[in-house]
């Protein structure tokens, strides 16, 4: 451990643990990016989180908060300090009658729903997975698929955030509203979210049905009842077959009935598809035939084949993401869906003229399926500043997934994503913050988000030194003329990692300075609202000891056997 850290740590209260380890390798769930943080810190109390921030101030370090690392981008990469809140995951209070739940922000969604089930409650909607922490899912605008529900933050009633000056601040629609709107999609750049107040709903089961349909029949129902036929609806578009699987579900009180399994649908199908995708890395032209075989075996070779089940909503709404993957998902007006799918379909089948996409599709073959989902947050208030959904009606999401068989990047990625993103931008789309967009400039982002300047203003006010700012924020969000912030971390190198993916290396400061300039910044900005916040006392002690307890790596982190743990 850096001697500077040891010196500064000795000045803080030894009674408050500092659960940090060295020698960890962080990677995204998909292993698309890897980085080696100087410290991996696992706090279990608000006092410990405050100590991390105080120490980071003194040691001039950037902080990055991570959950399961499910975002396949470099958003959570750092060579500085990585903070994981898995040990900060308690339910603090439950009002069963009102459905209002207060929790610590590190709780994973699957743990949250299990705790809610004990109280007869549940989250109103879920995305494809439930491995994320509640703070991470909120901070990246996670969503499910329903025109009756919006993004996850729609259910958030209030937040508590520990800022770069060590102060914990409450925000909601009625208190510090500007901060609340910025924090609802924070992208980890404002501070560390410590508590979430959430509006749950009564526990429910769902009855779902999925059927294979022709793409033409799906598009013909687009503006009729396709998206309103049930509370939850999503579509998997299978482009070379010109078909789609339509999945729909409604709440039910019927007896639970598991889905019928066939011999192919589990391990056999999983490994067969994985091996075939790997072979297609060298012979991409096999992909249309692979799609026909794999999805025919899974869903049937004729239109109208269906399956159904009755399950708990907390599990039935999920899907298996299968293998490591790139995901490039965009939000656009729902009414633009038929045009987007028709033009992209034409391009994928070699009809560049009809597609009006200015890139050649010659020799390009992609993976299936393309995920099609919907939300509607247009009636929510207040809206997050960086909400990528449409403000005046339902939102369509198109997700161009590309698998990475055995952690190898597909050869079609660059050209496919360039064409896909070009079409999405032409149709008024906005990329999902946590996904693999690669052809959007900072200026384009600012045009997409009229309230971007409000988000940046709040971000700069609560973290003027850039303790929570990384290279991802700089290249995508911060205005070009923004000067380098003292604690901001910039990318130094990006190179191919052994075993696949990219190795990300950032810079970190080395000079320790005791802060004294921003302690009262939030009081000055927010006045009476900040008086209700809690400033935990700082202790100037001189003793620190070795920590002998066990700290386990979270999902997405691999421990080094020779790591060091300290307190």
């Amino acid at each position: 451990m850096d001697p500077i850290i040891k010196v500064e740590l000795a000045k803080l209260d030894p009674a408050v643990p500092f659960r940090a380890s060295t020698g960890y390798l962080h990677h995204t769930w998909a292993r698309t990016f890897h980085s080696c943080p100087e410290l991996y810190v696992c706090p279990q109390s608000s006092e410990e989180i405050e100590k991390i921030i105080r120490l980071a101030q003194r040691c001039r370090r950037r902080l990055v908060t991570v959950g399961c690392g499910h975002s396949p981008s470099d958003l959570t990469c750092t060579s500085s300090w990585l903070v994981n809140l898995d040990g900060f995951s308690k339910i603090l209070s439950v009002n069963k009658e009102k459905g209002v739940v207060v929790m610590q922000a590190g709780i994973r969604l699957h743990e949250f729903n299990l705790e809610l089930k004990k109280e007869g409650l549940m989250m109103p909607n879920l995305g494809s997975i439930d491995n994320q922490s509640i703070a991470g899912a909120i901070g990246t605008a996670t969503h499910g698929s329903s025109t009756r529900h919006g993004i996850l933050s729609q259910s958030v009633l209030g937040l508590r955030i520990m800022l770069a000056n060590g102060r914990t601040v409450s925000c909601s629609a009625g208190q510090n509203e500007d901060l609340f709107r910025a924090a609802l999609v924070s992208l980890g750049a404002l501070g560390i979210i410590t508590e979430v107040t959430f509006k749950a709903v009564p526990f429910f089961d769902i009855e779902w049905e999925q059927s294979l349909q022709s793409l033409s029949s799906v598009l013909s129902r687009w503006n009729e009842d396709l998206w309103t036929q049930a509370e939850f609806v999503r579509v998997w578009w299978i482009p070379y077959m010109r078909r789609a699987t339509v999945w729909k579900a409604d709440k039910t009180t019927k007896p639970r009935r598991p889905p019928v399994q066939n011999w192919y649908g589990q391990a056999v199908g999983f490994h067969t598809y994985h091996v075939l995708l790997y072979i297609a890395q060298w012979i991409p032209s096999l992909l249309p035939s692979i799609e026909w075989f794999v999805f025919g075996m899974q869903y049937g070779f004729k239109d109208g084949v269906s399956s159904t089940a009755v399950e708990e909503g907390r599990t039935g709404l999920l899907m298996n993401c299968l293998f490591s993957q790139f995901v490039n998902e965009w939000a656009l007006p729902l009414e633009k869906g038929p045009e987007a799918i028709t033009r992209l379909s034409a391009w994928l089948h070699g009809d560049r003229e009809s597609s009006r996409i200015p890139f050649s599709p010659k020799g390009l073959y992609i993976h299936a399926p393309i995920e099609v989902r919907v939300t509607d947050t247009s009636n929510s208030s207040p809206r997050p500043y960086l909400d990528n959904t449409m403000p005046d009606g339902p939102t369509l999401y198109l997700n161009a997934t590309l698998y990475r068989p055995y952690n190898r990047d597909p050869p079609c990625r660059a050209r496919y994503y360039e064409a896909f993103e070009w079409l999405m931008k032409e149709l008024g789309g906005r990329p999902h913050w946590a996904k693999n967009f690669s052809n959007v400039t900072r200026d384009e982002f600012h045009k997409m988000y009229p309230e971007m300047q409000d988000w940046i203003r709040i971000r700069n006010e609560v973290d003027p030194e850039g303790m929570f700012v990384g290279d991802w924020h700089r290249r995508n969000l911060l205005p070009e003329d923004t000067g380098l912030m003292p604690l901001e971390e910039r990318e130094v190198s990006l190179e191919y990692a052994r075993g696949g993916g990219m190795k990300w290396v950032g810079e970190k400061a080395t000079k320790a300075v005791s802060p004294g300039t921003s302690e009262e910044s939030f009081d000055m900005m927010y006045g009476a609202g900040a008086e209700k916040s809690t400033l935990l006392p700082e202790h100037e002690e001189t003793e620190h000891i070795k920590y002998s307890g066990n700290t386990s790596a979270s999902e997405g982190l691999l421990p080094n056997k020779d790591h060091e743990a300290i307190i």
Side-chain angles (χ1 to χ4, degrees):
M1 182 174 60
D2 192 320
I4 292 175
I5 300 175
K6 292 182 179 180
V7 170
E8 295 300 328
L9 182 60
K11 299 175 183 179
L12 301 179
D13 184 359
V16 177
F18 181 64
R19 307 174 196 274
S21 299
T22 61
Y24 276 92
L25 171 65
H26 166 64
H27 61 74
T28 62
W29 170 83
R31 299 178 184 266
T32 46
F33 286 92
H34 308 253
S35 65
C36 298
E38 179 185 29
L39 292 180
Y40 171 60
V41 197
C42 305
Q44 297 181 9
S45 68
S46 57
E47 291 83 2
E48 292 180 37
I49 297 172
E50 187 210 7
K51 186 170 186 174
I52 294 167
I53 291 177
R54 297 289 186 198
L55 189 60
Q57 287 174 335
R58 293 175 179 276
C59 298
R60 315 308 287 162
R61 295 297 197 265
R62 179 196 175 203
L63 295 179
V64 179
T65 309
V66 70
C68 70
H70 204 269
S71 170
S73 76
D74 61 330
L75 179 60
T76 59
C77 287
T78 184
S79 294
S80 189
W81 296 2
L82 194 67
V83 181
N84 180 274
L85 300 182
D86 279 353
F88 190 70
S89 58
K90 296 177 181 177
I91 299 293
L92 301 178
S93 68
V94 178
N95 185 322
K96 187 173 180 180
E97 291 183 1
K98 295 183 178 180
V100 176
V101 185
V102 181
M103 76 207 83
Q104 294 175 331
I107 194 168
R108 301 293 183 95
L109 299 187
H110 62 89
E111 296 171 343
F112 181 39
N113 265 324
L114 283 173
E115 292 298 319
L116 289 179
K117 182 181 178 181
K118 298 175 184 177
E119 305 292 339
L121 299 172
M122 189 184 144
M123 296 175 66
N125 196 10
L126 284 167
S128 299
I129 64 167
D130 62 355
N131 291 328
Q132 314 100 308
S133 68
I134 186 71
I138 293 167
T140 53
T142 294
H143 63 92
S145 189
S146 172
T147 55
R148 304 182 202 177
H149 301 279
I151 62 176
L152 181 61
S153 64
Q154 186 180 43
S155 299
V156 175
L157 303 178
L159 298 169
R160 284 175 62 80
I161 310 170
M162 196 171 291
L163 305 177
N165 61 7
R167 190 176 293 274
T168 300
V169 180
S170 298
C171 60
S172 63
Q175 180 184 12
N176 296 324
E177 184 178 323
D178 283 356
L179 179 61
F180 186 56
R181 295 184 66 191
L184 284 175
V185 181
S186 69
L187 302 172
L190 274 67
I192 297 179
I193 294 175
T194 58
E195 289 182 17
V196 178
T197 302
F198 192 88
K199 184 69 167 70
V201 299
F203 183 86
F204 61 87
D205 290 345
I206 58 170
E207 181 178 27
W208 60 260
E209 177 186 284
Q210 64 184 20
S211 59
L212 187 67
Q213 303 178 19
S214 68
L215 181 60
S216 59
S217 67
V218 170
L219 295 179
S220 69
R221 296 179 57 194
W222 192 277
N223 295 318
E224 296 176 2
D225 65 343
L226 177 65
W227 299 109
T228 58
Q229 60 184 308
E231 182 170 354
F232 307 98
V233 181
R234 59 190 177 205
V235 173
W236 292 286
W237 170 25
I238 311 169
Y240 295 118
M241 293 177 70
R242 291 187 170 88
R243 288 184 170 89
T245 297
V246 178
W247 184 97
K248 61 181 182 178
D250 274 313
K251 295 170 184 173
T252 185
T253 57
K254 294 180 181 179
R256 290 176 189 160
R257 183 180 70 254
V260 177
Q261 303 291 346
N262 60 35
W263 66 271
Y264 179 82
Q266 299 297 311
V268 173
F270 176 90
H271 293 293
T272 298
Y273 194 22
H274 209 181
V275 170
L276 291 174
L277 287 172
Y278 187 74
I279 294 171
Q281 294 282 97
W282 285 271
I283 315 174
S285 59
L286 289 176
L287 282 169
S289 298
I290 291 172
E291 177 188 289
W292 174 83
F293 171 76
V294 168
F295 289 91
M297 292 295 292
Q298 183 72 31
Y299 300 115
F301 292 94
K302 295 181 179 180
D303 295 348
V305 175
S306 64
S307 58
T308 183
V310 177
E311 300 182 69
E312 293 183 39
R314 67 178 184 87
T315 56
L317 290 170
L318 306 177
M319 62 170 285
N320 188 341
C321 291
L322 298 178
F323 326 113
S324 170
Q325 58 193 251
F326 291 112
V327 281
N328 196 344
E329 184 174 57
W330 284 62
L332 62 158
L334 181 61
E335 66 268 17
K336 297 285 188 178
E339 179 183 355
I341 292 173
T342 299
R343 291 174 63 182
L344 185 58
S345 178
W347 188 78
L348 292 173
H349 285 90
D351 187 353
R352 181 175 173 181
E353 182 178 354
S354 296
S355 73
R356 306 193 304 281
I357 297 175
F359 302 96
S360 172
K362 186 176 180 180
L364 181 137
Y365 299 91
I366 68 163
H367 300 161
I370 297 172
E371 191 176 23
V372 188
R373 295 185 289 174
V374 293
T375 64
D376 191 351
T377 315
S378 59
N379 294 321
S380 294
S381 180
R383 286 174 59 85
Y385 288 131
L386 298 186
D387 187 343
N388 61 4
T389 64
M390 302 300 113
D392 53 0
T395 296
L396 167 71
Y397 291 91
L398 284 183
N399 185 7
T401 299
L402 287 174
Y403 293 114
R404 302 178 63 248
Y406 301 101
N407 296 319
R408 301 299 176 184
D409 295 352
C412 63
R413 179 192 172 199
R415 186 156 41 117
Y416 177 36
Y417 279 1
E418 185 177 28
F420 177 74
E421 292 183 35
W422 183 91
L423 177 60
M424 295 299 99
K425 286 188 285 188
E426 186 180 72
L427 296 176
R430 298 169 172 173
H432 190 303
W433 291 114
K435 303 302 173 71
N436 292 114
F437 56 85
S438 55
N439 299 280
V440 188
T441 67
R442 180 190 295 111
D443 290 342
E444 286 175 323
F445 270 123
H446 281 253
K447 290 177 182 177
M448 292 174 183
Y449 292 90
E451 295 180 307
M452 176 75 77
Q453 288 302 322
D454 292 307
W455 184 87
I456 291 173
R457 171 179 57 82
I458 295 297
R459 204 231 67 77
N460 290 342
E461 287 176 352
V462 298
D463 180 26
E465 291 193 302
M467 179 181 285
F468 300 98
V469 173
D471 199 84
W472 187 97
H473 305 100
R474 162 79 49 184
R475 70 174 183 264
N476 290 311
L477 304 178
L478 300 185
E480 190 171 4
D481 59 357
T482 302
L484 187 65
M485 289 173 268
L487 302 185
E488 175 185 349
E489 184 180 20
R490 299 302 304 273
E491 178 186 296
V492 172
S493 66
L494 187 66
E495 57 190 36
Y496 287 103
R498 185 174 61 182
M502 305 298 295
K503 181 180 179 181
W504 190 99
V505 178
E507 64 182 0
K508 64 177 184 291
T510 58
K511 182 179 179 181
V513 180
S514 292
T517 58
S518 62
E519 195 70 32
E520 304 302 325
S521 60
F522 200 85
D523 276 338
M524 295 173 63
M525 289 182 291
Y526 288 94
E531 293 176 3
K532 301 176 182 178
S533 307
T534 301
L535 179 62
L536 299 174
E538 178 175 347
H539 302 276
E540 295 296 334
E541 301 289 350
T542 58
E543 181 183 1
H544 74 283
I545 60 175
K546 288 287 182 180
Y547 172 63
S548 59
N550 295 321
T551 55
S552 60
S554 71
E555 192 173 343
L557 294 159
L558 296 179
N560 184 310
K561 292 182 180 179
D562 300 321
H563 72 269
E564 154 183 44
I566 58 177
I567 125 183

